[in-house]
Amino acid sequence: MAFVLLAAAIAAPAVAQQIPPELMEKLRERGQSGLDSQDPAQALEESRLKREGQLTNQTNLLGQTAGKEPKALSTLEVIYNSRLGFFEEEARRRWRERAYQFDDLERRERMLNQQVRERQQAQSGAVPGNFPMQSGAAQVARAKGGNREREQRLEVEQVRAEFATPEPLRQYGYDMLDYPKQFPGGLSGRLPDDYRLGIGDELVVTLYGNENDTQTLQVDREGRLVLPDLGPVTAAGRELGTVRDEVEQLVGNKLVGTEVLLSVGAPRLVSAYVLGDVTRPGQYELSSFADILDALSVAGGVKKTGSLRRIIVDDGTRRRSFDLYDILAGRQTDSLRLTDGMRIIVPPIGPTVAVAGAVVRPAIYELAPGAATSAADEMLAMAGGSVLARGSRMLVKRVSPEGGETMRYLSGAEARLQPSDILLLQLRSQATMGQFELAGAVYSPGIRSIDEYGFLSKALEGGQALKPDAYLPFALLKRKDPETLATVMRAVNLAAVLKGETDVRLRSWDELVVLNETAVDFMGSEPVKLTIDQPNDPGNCESLEVLAKRVREAETERFATTFRSAFFTSQGMAEQDSGAAALSGQMDRSIISDRQTGEIACPDLFEDRPDLLAFALEYATAISGAVRQPGIYPFAYETSLAGTIAVAGGLSLNANRKLVELSLYERKAGQGIDVDRRKVDLTETDPKSVAVSPGSSVRVTALRSDQEPGTVLLTGEFERPGVYTIKRGETLLELIGRAGGLTSRAYPYGAVFTRESVRDQRRESLKRTAREMDTALTLAAIKGNVDGEALTAARRLSNTLSSADITGRMVVDAEPEVLARDPIANISLEPGDTLHMPRRPTTVQVAGDVLNPGSFRHREGKSVRDYLKEAGGLQTTAEKGRIFVVKANGEATPVSMSIWSFREQTIPPGTTIVVPMDVTPVQYLEIAGTIADIFGNLALSVASVATVTN
């Protein structure tokens, strides 16, 4: 069980509520390293190498200190930490760190992939899809800003984890004795008067006055300080101050007018033995000023198997025990100076207990010498006491005689700890009472005091606490059920709360989540609808994964409103009258983006609370038709039709107020759900009097308009060329008349008419043909009966088909007189049509395998033979049987050059005569035969190839 952590982990919720300045500094440093300063493709490759561990100098995303190795744990420390569950918790923490790193790398790679795609699209000039795309800068801004708040919170968690990394429980006091191997020899400062002199001490005697002299003298083996002309003074075993007073008195008596200064020049060295559980036991010579702590430090410190509380000191005259805890705790200042021949013995460590939890100094402590137990209050005081002044309790984790562990509650001053106990200091309750939280589209999200506000209306501060994009008809209130303590979700109408129509008394641990426009738009987006329709592929958002799980587990009616609305919104208001779309200019905002960028930008509100999306969709109302912002909108409870339409931006200009269709969702207790279909005339019925319940559908019909949503372009020889709007069923003749008719130079026979639908059909036909060719090529390559050169040629032909530029041209007759008398030729126009009227040409083009291809002057009555003759005649490689002409209106007809053909074709101006080359003499015949084997099951006629060529 990992219910016990160290002090930082236990006390953090009650002690630290704000981000420390050092964390913000870390965040600011990380914010300087953006992605725009590096080539996206190079940065993407580096990110992938970093994920695979191939970069030797890769940076740790959590900012861990390089080269800082943790100290090894002793056996005793390992046992205590294992009992506390430290290693399991540390493993989970490191796993989270790695997860943070991979999350950062994946997020970085998604953004880099986005930038790479945008650069490729910008270089090629191609925009995928038929939807209007946003600019590259706008998409990058959306990709960076879509989850910015969540990414910043994740970054704060990572940096906080670096600063709040838990430390294992260690034995108290041993790290304080981890000094250098050698004791420093030099001394500085004035020696105290109580310094006791000994044999070998060197003293400096300075005379000034009538006599001026400086001499360095040493205490001899007899323990005397022999002063020239003054006699000996006993020094060994006496204090420095006492000897100084005697020397001054002696000088004053024998040398009148002379003063004396006495100081220690070089102290003597003493020999001491350090034995037992120390790192380097042995004999050491140290200064006479050294004490027991200095001796232990020179010996490398006490090993963690040795005792700090029962150190034996033997100076030859007596043997006593020394407790280092008294010095470490400041209860004893004298640490016993060394004497020559002193022995310091460190015995094995005695019984121990551990103190952990919300204490100032959690550690493993040794019990006092000779004590079988210890008072819990004394051990708590030794650990520095509690980090909190109140609200904590003591628990003890004790090893039973059978080897198991038990947990007991300790109370009272008489509570005792036994060896190997673990004393835990915990908060009596981790819960913070009297608080609630505001989140989402509010200016200051975070914790609030219930005592200050009390009711939801006061917490909203009259709407001042809400951001401008806050969605008022629906908000989530999460709270604890008082009986079961389970978390329950409740829908709240903030608009009604602000109007004073209702209010909610706040409870401890309540959380109010206010939706914004981005979250509401996402509810009606294509990824959400695809998840409801295909719950086995929810995408890369946690909220969508939870939604998919709810769809698989729950009945279909739970999200029926969103599912039924998928058709009209995914078609971009196709259910609306096309005239309405033209006038309003609106598209479903949530659909123009997600699938085109390859990534789904899930709002932070739903990602941080994955259950919120599914909960909000249960209250969704579908609004379609002639409104400004059709889509899916959640409502906390029954709302008027006026309020429902207002949320969708109101009626568009072409809305039919006489016909609003309602599909009202009515729940009947014990009888299921009924759908009441109703038609409302807003000119006779007040929309405020019509109630719309959550789960209903509202469709505002549009006034029928003869206006088409698109335009037609006229260019060339018209009296008034330009862009024209058209009405339904408007014909080509009517439009030519609106353009003032044709000029005198117009050539109607060569008019070029293009249509979008024709171009799309031909493009799709070519793609389908290319796919069939690729399939046939693959099968032929598997069989192995294809020549490599033939396969390459066929592949080239397939690529040509798939990338062919299609104009969508239709052969039409644009002569007004012909159109007036032939209703079939007078076609109806469609949005996107173009008509170019050229000037009347005066030449005929001859191209292909002729001696002199070029343009030749047109003359009435000239035949194909005449123009070919003017071009120098046919080449020897020309294929006479495949000559054809392409007339100015786009018609292509073959020409028979046989002597048996007596009919000559009329060649109008602007015609092109094409003479193909006969490729049979070349090796193409073998290639063509091989390709023919490849396409044996394909119905590709010569006519279809001619269509592709055109």
Side-chain angles (χ1 to χ4, degrees), residues 456 471-479 488-497 502-504 511-515 612 614-620 634-639 667 694:
L456 181 57
Y471 181 77
L472 301 184
F474 179 90
L476 169 67
L477 181 63
K478 296 179 66 175
R479 59 178 21 174
V488 296
M489 294 187 288
R490 173 181 172 184
V492 179
N493 188 330
L494 299 184
V497 172
T502 184
D503 208 345
V504 178
E511 180 187 15
L512 180 69
V513 183
V514 182
L515 303 185
L612 176 55
F615 178 75
L617 288 174
E618 293 184 39
Y619 292 81
F635 291 90
Y637 41 79
E638 193 173 78
T639 309
R667 298 174 178 85

Side-chain angles (χ1 to χ4, degrees), residues 574-903:
E575 190 179 87
Q576 294 190 39
D577 186 271
S578 57
L583 290 177
S584 64
Q586 297 291 327
M587 292 288 287
D588 187 357
R589 295 170 294 164
S590 60
I591 297 194
I592 300 178
S593 57
D594 297 330
R595 292 299 183 182
Q596 296 175 20
T597 61
E599 299 293 338
I600 301 175
C602 301
D604 296 335
L605 281 176
F606 293 139
E607 287 301 279
D608 295 339
R609 304 162 186 84
D611 287 328
L612 176 55
L613 176 60
F615 178 75
L617 288 174
E618 293 184 39
Y619 292 81
T621 296
I623 308 174
S624 62
V627 291
R628 290 190 172 87
Q629 295 175 359
I632 299 296
Y633 295 91
F635 291 90
Y637 41 79
E638 193 173 78
T639 309
S640 67
L641 178 59
T644 304
I645 296 176
V647 168
L651 301 176
S652 60
L653 294 178
N654 65 324
N656 184 4
R657 300 179 62 86
K658 290 183 174 295
L659 182 56
V660 176
E661 297 180 356
L662 303 179
S663 297
L664 301 180
Y665 198 75
E666 297 182 353
R667 298 174 178 85
K668 294 186 177 181
Q671 300 181 10
I673 300 173
D674 287 346
V675 177
D676 180 18
R677 301 199 183 277
R678 187 186 309 174
K679 295 181 180 180
V680 179
D681 186 350
L682 298 183
T683 61
E684 298 180 356
T685 305
D686 185 2
K688 295 181 180 180
S689 63
V690 180
V692 180
S693 58
S696 302
S697 298
V698 178
R699 182 180 185 275
V700 181
T701 59
L703 295 173
R704 180 173 179 80
S705 173
D706 288 338
Q707 188 80 12
E708 286 281 11
T711 57
V712 174
L713 175 63
L714 298 183
T715 60
E717 297 300 320
F718 294 98
E719 292 292 343
R720 293 187 293 274
V723 178
Y724 287 84
T725 59
I726 59 175
K727 62 181 182 180
R728 296 178 186 276
E730 186 167 353
T731 63
L732 180 59
L733 180 60
E734 292 174 336
L735 183 59
I736 294 175
R738 290 171 58 194
L742 308 180
T743 65
S744 58
R745 299 181 299 275
Y747 185 51
Y749 187 74
V752 179
F753 183 88
T754 63
R755 174 161 288 178
E756 292 289 338
S757 59
V758 174
R759 180 176 61 183
D760 294 340
Q761 292 172 2
R762 291 184 178 177
R763 180 185 291 113
E764 183 60 32
S765 176
L766 288 181
K767 290 182 178 179
R768 183 172 57 253
T769 302
R771 288 194 299 268
E772 293 174 352
M773 292 176 65
D774 290 338
T775 302
L777 287 171
T778 302
L779 294 175
I782 293 175
K783 294 179 179 180
N785 57 355
V786 184
D787 179 75
E789 186 178 358
L791 188 61
T792 301
R795 289 290 187 189
R796 191 179 298 113
L797 175 60
S798 175
N799 295 334
T800 302
L801 290 176
S802 59
S803 61
D805 186 15
I806 306 302
T807 61
R809 181 175 182 180
M810 288 177 55
V811 177
V812 298
D813 200 329
E815 180 66 50
E817 290 79 5
V818 177
L819 296 177
R821 63 174 178 267
D822 188 357
I824 298 178
N826 189 18
I827 62 173
S828 297
L829 299 174
E830 296 179 3
D833 288 348
T834 64
L835 177 61
H836 175 71
M837 187 63 65
R839 293 185 179 182
R840 182 178 180 85
T842 59
T843 61
V844 171
Q845 182 81 12
V846 180
D849 204 19
V850 295
L851 292 176
N852 183 28
S855 298
F856 301 92
R857 187 167 60 88
H858 173 267
R859 185 188 306 168
E860 293 293 339
K862 289 178 65 175
S863 65
V864 174
R865 295 176 185 273
D866 296 331
Y867 288 111
L868 292 177
K869 186 176 180 180
E870 291 183 7
L874 303 179
Q875 294 273 15
T876 56
T877 57
E879 189 171 356
K880 300 179 182 180
R882 297 183 58 231
I883 299 175
F884 62 94
V885 297
V886 180
K887 297 181 180 179
N889 66 347
E891 292 182 355
T893 57
V895 175
S896 176
M897 301 296 295
S898 171
I899 59 175
W900 305 102
S901 177
F902 300 97
R903 183 174 61 85

Side-chain angles (χ1 to χ4, degrees), residues 16-27:
Q17 292 293 341
Q18 297 182 351
I19 302 174
E22 56 268 22
L23 294 188
M24 296 306 299
E25 183 63 28
K26 278 278 188 179
L27 293 178

Side-chain angles (χ1 to χ4, degrees), residues 18-31 152 155-156 159-160 163:
Q18 297 182 351
I19 302 174
E22 56 268 22
L23 294 188
M24 296 306 299
E25 183 63 28
K26 278 278 188 179
L27 293 178
R28 283 192 292 269
E29 292 176 2
R30 296 187 182 193
Q152 289 178 351
E155 198 75 18
V156 170
V159 178
R160 187 185 295 278
F163 281 82

Side-chain angles (χ1 to χ4, degrees), residues 120 136 175 194 568 593 855:
Q120 293 174 349
D175 55 343
D194 61 354
F568 70 84
S593 57
S855 298

Side-chain angles (χ1 to χ4, degrees), residues 148-190:
R148 182 172 300 166
E149 294 181 2
R150 185 169 185 269
E151 291 169 3
Q152 289 178 351
R153 286 195 296 272
L154 178 63
E155 198 75 18
V156 170
E157 291 178 7
Q158 295 177 9
V159 178
R160 187 185 295 278
E162 172 189 348
F163 281 82
T165 301
E167 290 289 337
L169 210 62
R170 296 187 180 273
Q171 293 175 246
Y172 173 71
Y174 292 87
D175 55 343
M176 300 180 186
L177 298 176
D178 189 12
Y179 290 110
K181 296 181 180 180
Q182 295 183 354
F183 187 77
L187 296 175
S188 61
R190 182 178 181 273

